[in-house]
Amino acid sequence: MLQGRLFAYADAHRYRLGVNHTLLPVNAPRATTAQNYGRDGLMATRNGSRHDKNYEPNSYQGPAQTDAALSAPLAIHGWTGTHEAPAHVKDDDFFQAGELYRLMSEDEKARLVANIAGSLSQVSREDVVEKNVAHFAAADPEYGRRVAEAVAALRD
């Protein structure tokens, strides 16, 4: 009976409180600090968390990569733990986006650029617009140039 209750109590907390169940002091982990950017949901305990950014990189003092080890290495028959993955030619974050852009017909490219520029031209921070245009240019130089020109035309 005790085993059943131990399961049921924790399960009831998670159901009733949602993603924020570990933010209540009685449920909070003691050996570590949870850094999962869970927010909103039922019984949210943080004020103002609705507009916090939960992605990285960002331009709004949100989460930032720490490069902290995910686990301590252990000697087994060699080493295990956090390590660099082997690099491949196509591991570039922009490779696949550029390949897709180059596969599109001219009409598809024009619609894509118009859709992106329509939203990007409404962004008030110039540094955010420049960062985004740089991402498109990293995928394909023509792509970046066309988006920049379309954004500039819509802002005039």
Side-chain angles (χ1 to χ4, degrees):
M1 185 60 132
L2 175 62
Q3 293 296 321
R5 285 186 177 171
L6 289 175
F7 168 77
Y9 292 153
D11 194 50
H13 284 305
R14 284 189 293 274
Y15 176 77
R16 182 173 50 86
L17 300 175
V19 69
N20 298 299
H21 75 280
T22 58
L23 297 178
L24 294 175
V26 71
N27 296 332
R30 294 177 187 262
T32 185
T33 303
Q35 297 290 340
N36 61 8
Y37 303 107
R39 61 180 191 181
D40 299 338
L42 299 172
M43 309 254 321
T45 60
R46 290 179 44 216
N47 291 334
S49 66
R50 181 173 184 204
H51 299 290
D52 289 353
K53 305 303 178 213
N54 64 348
Y55 52 85
E56 188 271 330
N58 64 73
S59 302
Y60 302 92
Q61 287 73 46
Q65 184 171 332
T66 64
D67 292 327
L70 299 177
S71 60
L74 301 171
I76 306 183
H77 294 290
W79 290 90
T80 183
T82 304
H83 60 279
E84 288 288 325
H88 299 90
V89 176
K90 297 181 182 181
D91 280 348
D92 182 326
D93 291 334
F94 306 101
F95 181 84
Q96 289 182 350
E99 290 286 298
L100 178 61
Y101 178 79
R102 289 183 285 278
L103 285 174
M104 292 180 176
S105 69
E106 188 54 40
D107 184 49
E108 291 170 327
K109 289 178 182 179
R111 286 196 315 265
L112 175 65
V113 168
N115 283 335
I116 292 170
S119 297
L120 200 53
S121 65
Q122 297 175 30
V123 175
S124 59
R125 288 183 50 183
E126 190 60 36
D127 64 318
V128 173
V129 174
E130 289 172 5
K131 284 180 187 178
N132 279 273
V133 169
H135 289 310
F136 297 122
D140 185 277
E142 176 198 337
Y143 189 13
R145 179 186 52 76
R146 289 178 68 171
V147 169
E149 289 171 356
V151 168
L154 288 172
R155 286 188 156 191
D156 289 339

